[in-house]
Structure formats: C-alpha cells, structure tokens
C-alpha cells in the first residue's frame, strides 16, 4: 500500500477540531511495552528483532481499531516517507532511522500508531486534536488491554512494565500535549513558565521532541517519570498543568493587545509582509512567521481567514512534504525558492492584517 494515498490530506488534517485547539494543537498518550525474555531492540541482533516484529505486528493488525490499517516494515519505506511521518508527528525521529526488523502500523484516521522495535519492542500512541488527554488515554488503554491478552509482556510485580529506558519503567506511559504559545514568547514569560513546569516534574521540549528547538513557538509538555504513580493520576496531573499554561497564554495575549498593541501588530504585520512577498525562505523562518500569522488569525487581525489555511501551510512547507510535491531531488536552496512560491500563492487571497481588534473578551479569550 502506498503511504501517501493512505495518509489524511494536509488540508483535512489542518481542519481537525478539538477543545482549546487555538493553543493545544494535539494531545498524545504513549505506552512502552516489551516482550518477555526477548532482548531490547538496542541489544537484539537482526534475527531477534525480526522475530519480535513477526510476533507483534499480526497482534496489532488484529485490533478492532486497526481495520484497514497501514502496516509496513521500516526498511520498505523510503527516507522521504519516514521524514513525512516524522513531520506529521506519527513516528519519532529515532524510529525513522530504523530499518530491517522494525515496523509501523497506523490506523486510517491517524489516531492510533504503533512503532515496533523502536527503543522498546512496542511503542503505541493515541493522538487527538486539541486538549483530549483522557480520550487518548482511554483509547490506548483499551488497545493495550487487548494486546496484553495476545502478547507476553515483560512485567515485574514490584517495578511494573520493564522498558529500555529507566525513566519509562512502571506504567510505561508518556502523556504529552503540543502547545502553541506565541503570547508567552512575545511577552517574554516563556522561560519562567518552563522553569515552573520543570519543577513540577514535567518536561518541556521542542517541536519534534527531545533535543529539538521550539520552532513556530510550539512546545511539547509531558510527564518525565512513570514509576509509582497510576496512569490516570499522571493524566490528571498533566491536565491541571496544561489548564494553567492555557490560562497564562490567554492572559499574555490579552495583556499584549491591551498594553502593547503596536508591538503585536508590528510582529504580525511583518510576518505577513515577509510571507506574502518573499522569494526565498527557509523552513525555520517560515514556521516562526506562520506562528505569528496564526496568532493574528486568533486575535482577529485577518477577518474571514480560517486558521486551517495557516495550519495547512505549517505542514506543507516542511522539507519532506515540499520535496514530495516534486519528482526531482531538490537542494535546500531550491526548496527555499519553491517554499516561498507556494506561500505567496496561498496568501494571495489573504488581505494584509487589519490592525484593529475588539477588546480581548470575545473569541480571542473564549474558554472552550
């Protein structure tokens, strides 16, 4: 099956809605599991990895939610395919580097994804738009319970589920949300927020997870430890922290519009000006400027413009998605030229921002 005929079109992905989705782009719950008496993938020889893959993959494909799923070994996917999956946040950068003995199973809605022989034998994740941690947890918990009847997990009565990384031992759960926080960045409040979140035992990472920067003012917040706390308690704790971050972001936007409106208009106007007129632009600059445009849409500076227009460009302007639209291999310079052409064309119907907004009490601060 061809990956690109299977994946949800970027335009449809950009239109997905969820609670608080102006700030919370997506929610994810991931579980790490391993097969009893089998070497972890990092230690296993190729035949061992293949054996585990052949054991896990049919069990995953048989799940009710995985009917008509996309299932493939990593060595059968091209480098471009893997990078597109990373840009869609469906697999990790580490899994994209895997080859023989590793695999992927993805459901048609892109709400359930199973990475086989990444760092652990099985990393399953549920994804939802907006703030839907409980829904994501319920979905992945159900899948895990069904799989546990078919697979013999590595489990210790005292430690819980055994994992390749000690920080995942116990429940093996990672609960995370991807947040768009331009208000806190512009107000220069993001560092104190990150420090406060870290003190609560949570991690704040960039757009593509650990070791990456916060391109487009996008931050991932997740739990760090999984031992000694129930899954539902971890989900509830993260929900409370996210509610506070959402409130801080809303307040930062409102305060900026009230006290420093010209600064906000300047940032958003310049972002629109560059995007609508540039003839060469990098992926990094594009994402940072699109973030400001998205903020402009959220606070009413682009009347009649759907935020999905910006969200779709956020996907399509990334390197692998851009390359996929062209048969010949593109250099970084060629991608920068084509990216600028695409953005200019897509912004042609979008009028420049109107630097006049209503007092920040309506949709801009709407509690969803």
């Amino acid at each position: 099956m061809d990956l690109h005929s299977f994946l949800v079109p970027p335009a449809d992905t950009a239109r997905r809605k969820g609670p608080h989705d102006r700030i919370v782009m997506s929610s994810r719950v991931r579980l790490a599991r391993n097969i009893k008496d089998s070497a972890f993938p990092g230690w296993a020889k190729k035949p061992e990895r293949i054996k585990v893959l052949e054991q896990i993959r049919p069990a995953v494909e048989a799940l009710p939610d995985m009917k008509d799923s996309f299932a493939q070994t990593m060595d059968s996917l091209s480098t471009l395919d893997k990078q597109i999956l990373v840009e869609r946040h469906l697999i990790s950068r580490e899994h994209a580097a895997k080859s023989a003995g590793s695999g992927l199973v993805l459901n048609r809605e892109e709400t359930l994804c199973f990475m086989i022989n990444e760092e652990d034998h099985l990393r399953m994740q549920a994804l939802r738009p907006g703030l839907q941690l409980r829904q994501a947890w319920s979905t992945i918990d159900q899948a895990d319970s069904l799989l546990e009847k078919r697979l013999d997990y590595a489990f210790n009565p005292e430690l819980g589920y055994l994992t390749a990384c000690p920080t995942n031992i116990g429940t093996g759960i990672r609960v995370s949300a991807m947040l768009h926080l331009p208000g806190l960045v512009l107000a220069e409040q993001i560092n104190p927020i990150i420090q406060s979140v870290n003190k609560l035992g949570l991690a704040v990472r960039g757009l593509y997870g650990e070791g990456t920067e916060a391109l487009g003012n996008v931050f991932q917040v997740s739990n760090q430890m999984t031992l000694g706390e129930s899954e539902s308690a971890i989900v509830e704790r993260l929900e409370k922290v996210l509610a506070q971050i959402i409130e801080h972001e809303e307040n930062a936007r409102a305060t900026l519009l009230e006290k420093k409106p010209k600064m906000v208009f300047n940032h958003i106007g310049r972002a629109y000006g560059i995007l609508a007129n540039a003839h060469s632009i990098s992926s990094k600059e594009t994402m940072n400027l699109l973030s400001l445009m998205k903020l402009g849409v959220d606070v009413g500076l682009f009347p009649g413009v759907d935020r999905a227009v910006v969200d779709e460009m956020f996907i399509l302007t990334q390197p692998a998605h851009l390359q996929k639209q062209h048969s010949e291999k593109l250099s970084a310079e060629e991608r920068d030229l084509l990216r600028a052409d695409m953005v200019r064309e897509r912004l042609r119907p979008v009028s420049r921002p109107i630097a006049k907004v209503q007092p920040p009490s309506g949709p801009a601060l709407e509690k969803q």
Side-chain angles (χ1 to χ4, degrees), residues 99-157:
S99 55
S102 294
L104 164 75
V105 186
L106 173 68
N107 75 340
R108 188 160 288 281
E109 295 79 19
E110 297 178 9
T111 55
L112 272 173
C113 184
F114 295 78
M115 293 180 282
I116 304 171
N117 281 331
E118 192 231 32
E119 184 178 68
D120 295 287
H121 292 140
L122 179 58
R123 285 200 167 182
M124 57 187 106
Q125 59 184 14
L127 302 146
R128 291 289 185 277
L131 182 58
Q132 299 192 71
L133 293 178
R134 291 173 190 261
Q135 293 88 337
W137 161 237
S138 176
T139 299
I140 206 68
D141 182 38
Q142 184 178 22
D144 180 48
S145 297
L146 291 172
L147 284 175
E148 197 158 18
K149 295 176 182 178
R150 301 168 185 171
L151 301 171
D152 194 5
Y153 286 156
F155 183 84
N156 180 282

Side-chain angles (χ1 to χ4, degrees), residues 29-184:
V29 177
R30 192 203 73 204
L31 294 177
R33 298 289 185 259
N34 287 282
I35 302 302
K36 185 178 179 181
D37 298 328
S38 295
F40 291 137
W43 290 95
K45 304 292 184 185
K46 182 178 173 180
E48 295 175 282
R49 294 198 305 272
I50 291 174
K51 181 181 177 182
V52 168
L53 174 63
E54 291 174 344
Q55 184 179 359
I56 293 176
R57 180 173 159 177
V60 171
E61 290 185 79
L63 292 172
D65 287 337
M66 303 308 288
K67 185 179 180 181
D68 299 324
S69 60
F70 176 86
Q72 203 59 268
T73 57
M74 297 308 288
D75 56 328
S76 66
L77 293 173
S78 69
T79 302
L80 183 62
D81 288 342
K82 295 176 185 177
Q83 187 56 36
I84 283 175
L85 288 166
V86 171
E87 291 177 358
R88 296 281 190 104
H89 301 281
L90 295 172
I91 66 171
S92 64
R93 294 180 303 158
E94 292 74 19
H95 202 51
K98 301 293 185 181
S99 55
S102 294
L104 164 75
V105 186
L106 173 68
N107 75 340
R108 188 160 288 281
E109 295 79 19
E110 297 178 9
T111 55
L112 272 173
C113 184
F114 295 78
M115 293 180 282
I116 304 171
N117 281 331
E118 192 231 32
E119 184 178 68
D120 295 287
H121 292 140
L122 179 58
R123 285 200 167 182
M124 57 187 106
Q125 59 184 14
L127 302 146
R128 291 289 185 277
L131 182 58
Q132 299 192 71
L133 293 178
R134 291 173 190 261
Q135 293 88 337
W137 161 237
S138 176
T139 299
I140 206 68
D141 182 38
Q142 184 178 22
D144 180 48
S145 297
L146 291 172
L147 284 175
E148 197 158 18
K149 295 176 182 178
R150 301 168 185 171
L151 301 171
D152 194 5
Y153 286 156
F155 183 84
N156 180 282
E158 293 183 6
L159 296 175
Y161 294 101
L162 304 181
T163 55
C165 180
T167 60
N168 290 325
I169 286 177
T171 56
I173 194 172
R174 269 287 183 275
V175 183
S176 65
M178 192 177 299
L179 309 173
H180 182 230
L181 304 175
L184 289 169

Side-chain angles (χ1 to χ4, degrees), residues 186-227:
L186 288 176
E188 298 182 351
Q189 296 174 9
I190 192 67
N191 288 334
I193 293 292
I194 290 174
Q195 290 167 8
S196 298
V197 170
N198 288 338
K199 287 177 183 176
L200 294 171
L202 303 176
V204 181
R205 300 186 170 100
L207 182 63
Y208 294 112
E210 191 169 1
T212 65
E213 60 181 313
L215 294 172
N217 299 314
V218 175
F219 299 82
Q220 289 188 36
V221 179
S222 65
N223 65 300
Q224 292 203 74
M225 301 301 291
T226 67
L227 186 61

Side-chain angles (χ1 to χ4, degrees), residues 280-283 317-320 322-323 326-339:
S280 177
I281 191 166
S282 68
S283 174
T317 55
Q318 294 182 66
L322 198 63
Q323 175 63 65
H326 301 273
S327 54
E328 70 281 5
K329 175 68 176 175
L330 300 174
S331 66
E333 184 179 354
E334 288 171 328
R335 284 200 304 271
D336 290 352
L337 296 172
L338 290 167
R339 181 180 295 110

